[in-house]
Amino acid sequence: MTDSLTGRSKLQNERASINQQIIRQMRMRAGAENLLRATSNNKVCEMVGLELSYINSNLQLLMEQLEGLNSSVDVYQNMQETSSIPLIPLGLKETKEMDFSVSFKDFILEHYSEDGSSFEEEIADLMDLRQACRTPSRNDAGIETLAKYFSHMPLLESRFFSATRPMGIFFTWYDSFTGVPVCQQNLSLEKASILFNIGALYTQIGTRSNRQTANGLQDAIAAFQKAAGVLHHLKETFTHTPSYDMSPSMLSMLIKLMLAQAQECLFEKIALSGIRNEFFSLLKMAQEAAKVGDTYDQVHQSMIQTPIKDNVPFFWSTMAQVKTNHYRSLAHYFLATALLDHQLRPSDDEDQQEKALSQAYDAMPDGRSALDILRKREERRHVGKAHLRRAVMGHEEGLRIHGLCRHLRKLDVLQDILQASHKRSLAKFNDNDREDEFTDYLEAPDIISKTEHKAEMESPMSTKVKVTDFFRRLGPLSVFSAKLRWTAPRTVRLRLEDRDLGFTLRGDPVPVQVTSLDPLCPAAVDGLKDGDYIVAVGDTDCKWMVVSEVMRLLKDVDEDGIDIRVVSLMDSGLPMPTKSATYCGGIPKTYSMICLAFDDDKSPKGRKVTKKGSFLSWGVKNHLKSSSTLSLPTNTVLRSQMAPYSPYSAVLWRSMGSGLK
């Protein structure tokens, strides 16, 4: 096991431990608050108030520790990289281990009238799959594991989760940012949380990619765009999730963050082979860098809005602010270099250069015309110096902000890159400065951001994978589902009377249904009803058989007849379950009180399953591409669900005389 894999696993284990401590403190706080409401004894109130103060202090410390873990981005980066600015991944949401066996077996017996113990293997496979989702590998196989479980959940919901009958299964997930537990009995929280983890895993794949190679950068771009697509799908599909990390405002911010990181990787891909020290190339890179800076500025603005700013790690908002300053400063440096290093020559296309320069600004510097700047050497130098001045000031501001965050200060590679960028801009400014120039009040305008390759959300097909229903043996899902109630299977004896069974069959697709039943035929007298579904003929299960296959089983009926097993549809009229209480604790009242009723240390353990270890592929040598003339500063330099069943097509038959012997 590599060091990076150990670090990532250790980080997830620490998150799980802190989540458990947070829920214990919240239980204690809930009990203390209840005691305060129930007592009027001043001495007791004083003691409980002191205890509450202690508990709230512990909660604050725990949440600060969780924020620290969310700021530990270094363990997610590619270990071969020493020259790229770190990216921000999302940590996986934590959940409790689940045991479906008792509830599912009881439901199968009660609702489907089948022996639940005969489905132990299917239930075990389901539990193994969910357990594997708690520790997915950081690659496409991990995405497939999560997507497979996600694709199974609609099938499970149809099979076992009815609006009128609670299953007694509580799904508990922890908020990724606050550690606050959220508990629900339905599958909505489970589905939303798995979808969030698919997006989070894509971000971890993106940060793991080797951004010193073109293929690695392309992998990172695709991963962040897919992460944005998954989170957007989550935002649009699950609009009332009780967990704050999946609230619309938080998801909107996360989508912007992922697209900003994809845009950053697109910029790095353009600069990977080197930036040509040529007028048009430098103007293009200036606008590309400005685009990255603007996208990070939008991310930072959304991070500092209430209530997001109260839950997003300070590390994140500081990183977004640092990158805003860094890339805008790079833009000014590139434009300054284009003006200072290149003079207009007779062989140059003057009109094309004038158009390119004018399109880089909303307003020209100090009322100057683009043509004057290009033609006059001193004008080029003054404007170029103004851009260098803004580049130096921007890099200095980035370094100042960087120093405010203790977690950022731990990232040596980031500090090295910021210092190298500042030193390069300052050196170029000094090279073009003159001793006889005491004042220069020219202010360089903002550079218009523009890109030829805009990062876009990508809807990954990996969230939709083809799966086989674990509980297919229960019968076609269109008929044998939790929302439909059935009688227990009844045995009916079929006998021929004048070579006529007394009813017709239909069932394409499956299962076969009795229709046009003669109420005076022997089968009706024996208990057969119009609309019954045939689930077995003799000892043969026929829930998945079409009419022609059932007819073949019935064609040898003799005078003694044959037994069939049928089920009848019942009316569904059970009362709705009462809503559970909610717990506030200083946050919106969407967190179920049920999650505080269970003690993790005392809860029964589920079936023992084998965890699938994460897979990380390290050992790829770092290839640093040399640039032709200019380069970016580095620290080294300075899926488908089961198809829905179509309505039955009528396949009727009345007399079996010609087909029976």
Side-chain angles (χ1 to χ4, degrees):
M1 182 177 293
T2 64
D3 293 338
S4 55
L5 176 57
T6 303
R8 177 172 172 260
S9 301
K10 182 179 179 181
L11 202 64
Q12 288 296 128
N13 290 335
E14 289 178 0
R15 287 170 63 91
S17 175
I18 290 176
N19 287 333
Q20 296 302 318
Q21 294 178 61
I22 287 175
I23 194 173
R24 291 190 185 99
Q25 294 296 322
M26 291 183 69
R27 289 195 196 105
M28 294 173 64
R29 185 170 70 176
E33 289 174 343
N34 289 336
L35 183 56
L36 272 180
R37 286 190 289 267
T39 184
S40 59
N41 188 302
N42 291 334
K43 187 173 182 180
V44 172
C45 288
E46 183 179 344
M47 293 177 62
V48 173
L50 183 62
E51 183 67 20
L52 267 176
S53 176
Y54 176 73
I55 292 172
N56 287 328
S57 296
N58 283 344
L59 275 172
Q60 182 65 33
L61 289 173
L62 288 170
M63 290 184 178
E64 287 178 2
Q65 291 180 37
L66 189 61
E67 178 182 345
L69 295 181
N70 286 330
S71 303
S72 301
V73 301
D74 51 321
V75 300
Y76 293 99
Q77 311 299 315
N78 188 301
M79 296 303 293
Q80 302 300 318
E81 286 217 31
T82 57
S83 307
S84 298
I85 298 179
L87 300 171
I88 297 176
L90 286 178
L92 298 179
K93 286 175 68 69
E94 296 287 343
T95 183
K96 288 183 177 181
E97 187 175 333
M98 293 293 301
D99 187 352
F100 297 109
S101 56
V102 175
S103 298
F104 276 24
K105 287 178 183 178
D106 289 347
F107 190 87
I108 290 171
L109 178 62
E110 176 187 333
H111 188 81
Y112 295 104
S113 301
E114 296 204 26
D115 183 9
S117 61
S118 66
F119 288 85
E120 284 185 352
E121 185 175 346
E122 288 87 345
I123 296 173
D125 289 341
L126 171 64
M127 291 168 59
D128 283 343
L129 178 59
R130 188 183 189 276
Q131 185 71 3
C133 288
R134 298 180 67 190
T135 54
S137 55
R138 191 168 35 149
N139 51 24
D140 290 339
I143 295 290
E144 185 178 356
T145 299
L146 292 169
K148 184 178 179 182
Y149 182 59
F150 182 78
S151 298
H152 270 293
M153 279 188 280
L155 304 178
L156 295 174
E157 190 169 28
S158 297
R159 288 286 188 198
F160 297 103
F161 292 86
S162 169
T164 59
R165 182 192 185 281
M167 280 290 291
I169 296 177
F170 297 95
F171 299 97
T172 302
W173 288 83
Y174 298 90
D175 190 287
S176 181
F177 297 105
T178 66
V180 174
V182 183
C183 185
Q184 285 188 352
Q185 289 198 63
N186 60 52
L187 272 174
S188 295
L189 176 64
E190 184 89 344
K191 289 189 285 188
S193 299
I194 289 294
L195 205 56
F196 182 94
N197 276 1
I198 292 176
L201 196 57
Y202 270 123
T203 70
Q204 295 182 17
I205 292 174
T207 55
R208 176 197 175 202
S209 302
N210 184 359
R211 288 150 57 205
Q212 296 302 311
T213 67
N215 290 337
L217 279 167
Q218 189 57 48
D219 290 342
I221 294 164
F224 286 119
Q225 290 184 148
K226 288 177 181 178
V230 171
L231 295 175
H232 180 264
H233 177 65
L234 172 59
K235 178 188 170 198
E236 296 297 314
T237 307
F238 300 91
T239 56
H240 300 290
T241 53
S243 184
Y244 181 74
D245 55 358
M246 296 186 289
S247 64
S249 58
M250 180 62 79
L251 289 174
S252 296
M253 182 278 293
L254 292 176
I255 291 168
K256 291 178 183 177
L257 174 60
M258 298 312 134
L259 291 178
Q261 296 191 136
Q263 194 68 51
E264 183 179 7
C265 292
L266 282 165
F267 174 78
E268 291 177 344
K269 187 178 179 182
I270 297 172
L272 181 64
S273 59
I275 303 164
R276 293 180 59 194
N277 195 348
E278 185 267 333
F279 184 81
F280 293 107
S281 296
L282 290 168
L283 286 186
K284 173 187 173 183
M285 292 305 298
Q287 294 191 284
E288 291 281 356
K291 178 65 177 180
V292 180
D294 285 356
T295 56
Y296 272 111
D297 184 50
Q298 294 172 13
V299 172
H300 177 253
Q301 293 304 318
S302 67
M303 284 182 176
I304 61 176
Q305 300 300 315
T306 303
I308 297 177
K309 67 178 182 180
D310 298 325
N311 295 282
V312 166
F314 179 65
F315 170 91
W316 288 23
S317 58
T318 309
M319 175 74 91
Q321 201 173 4
V322 166
K323 288 190 176 184
T324 299
N325 283 278
H326 173 69
Y327 283 103
R328 284 178 172 173
S329 298
L330 281 182
H332 286 289
Y333 173 82
F334 288 135
L335 201 149
T337 304
L339 294 175
L340 295 171
D341 289 6
H342 302 279
Q343 302 299 322
L344 190 63
R345 298 170 299 183
S347 59
D348 291 337
D349 189 331
E350 185 178 276
D351 292 339
Q352 190 177 4
Q353 287 199 15
E354 179 188 11
K355 180 181 178 181
L357 183 60
S358 62
Q359 289 179 346
Y361 300 115
D362 276 331
M364 295 302 296
D366 199 21
R368 292 169 168 82
S369 69
L371 199 56
D372 284 343
I373 296 174
L374 292 172
R375 287 176 174 175
K376 300 176 182 178
R377 182 182 295 270
E378 283 302 306
E379 289 295 318
R380 293 178 78 117
R381 196 173 65 81
H382 279 299
V383 176
K385 279 184 60 181
H387 282 291
L388 284 175
R389 190 179 299 110
R390 286 199 64 178
V392 172
M393 294 172 61
H395 287 310
E396 289 175 350
E397 178 65 8
L399 284 166
R400 184 190 70 81
I401 297 170
H402 170 270
L404 297 177
C405 180
R406 61 186 179 90
H407 295 296
L408 272 183
R409 292 197 299 269
K410 296 177 182 178
L411 299 177
D412 294 335
V413 62
L414 176 59
Q415 184 172 0
D416 291 344
I417 291 174
L418 294 177
Q419 290 177 342
S421 301
H422 174 258
K423 184 176 181 180
R424 183 175 67 171
S425 296
L426 186 60
K428 196 166 192 67
F429 180 84
N430 291 331
D431 289 343
N432 289 274
D433 197 19
R434 291 181 179 176
E435 294 181 0
D436 57 345
E437 290 179 339
F438 297 104
T439 58
D440 192 345
Y441 299 107
L442 179 62
E443 179 71 18
D446 293 336
I447 299 171
I448 296 176
S449 63
K450 182 180 178 182
T451 180
E452 296 179 359
H453 308 281
K454 184 180 179 181
E456 302 282 358
M457 288 184 295
E458 184 177 338
S459 298
M461 296 302 295
S462 57
T463 57
K464 300 176 181 179
V465 299
K466 188 174 182 179
V467 295
T468 301
D469 185 4
F470 281 127
F471 301 93
R472 190 177 185 277
R473 288 195 289 125
L474 291 173
L477 191 57
S478 59
V479 175
F480 298 100
S481 65
K483 67 180 180 181
L484 299 178
R485 299 178 62 214
W486 301 92
T487 62
R490 311 186 310 279
T491 300
V492 175
R493 189 73 175 177
L494 292 186
R495 297 181 179 85
L496 283 178
E497 187 176 84
D498 296 329
R499 311 196 68 76
D500 185 3
L501 289 175
F503 56 86
T504 60
L505 296 179
R506 68 178 180 184
D508 189 13
V510 292
V512 171
Q513 188 179 21
V514 174
T515 185
S516 301
L517 176 67
D518 183 352
L520 300 179
C521 71
V525 174
D526 201 26
L528 189 66
K529 299 177 182 179
D530 196 67
D532 281 351
Y533 286 92
I534 300 177
V535 296
V537 175
D539 296 328
T540 304
D541 187 295
C542 59
K543 288 193 285 288
W544 286 94
M545 290 185 178
V546 296
V547 169
S548 59
E549 294 173 312
V550 174
M551 287 175 60
R552 282 195 292 271
L553 295 176
L554 296 175
K555 69 183 181 65
D556 294 327
V557 175
D558 54 22
E559 294 181 356
D560 293 333
I562 189 172
D563 287 335
I564 64 171
R565 299 179 72 205
V566 297
V567 293
S568 302
L569 185 63
M570 298 171 60
D571 292 332
S572 299
L574 293 178
M576 292 292 289
T578 57
K579 293 183 179 179
S580 61
T582 57
Y583 177 69
C584 179
I587 51 179
K589 292 187 178 182
T590 54
Y591 299 92
S592 175
M593 188 68 173
I594 299 171
C595 64
L596 302 180
F598 297 98
D599 190 339
D600 297 325
D601 296 331
K602 298 179 181 179
S603 60
K605 296 294 182 183
R607 176 183 176 273
K608 193 81 173 179
V609 291
T610 303
K611 291 185 177 180
K612 296 185 178 180
S614 300
F615 170 77
L616 299 176
S617 178
W618 309 112
V620 181
K621 292 185 177 179
N622 187 28
H623 300 287
L624 297 176
K625 298 288 186 179
S626 59
S627 57
S628 57
T629 305
L630 297 175
S631 63
L632 296 182
T634 67
N635 68 324
T636 57
V637 178
L638 256 184
R639 33 298 55 106
S640 65
Q641 297 179 6
M642 181 178 290
Y645 295 97
S646 59
Y648 297 124
S649 61
V651 180
L652 305 177
W653 60 290
R654 178 73 181 177
S655 174
M656 297 179 63
S658 60
L660 302 179
K661 300 293 184 181

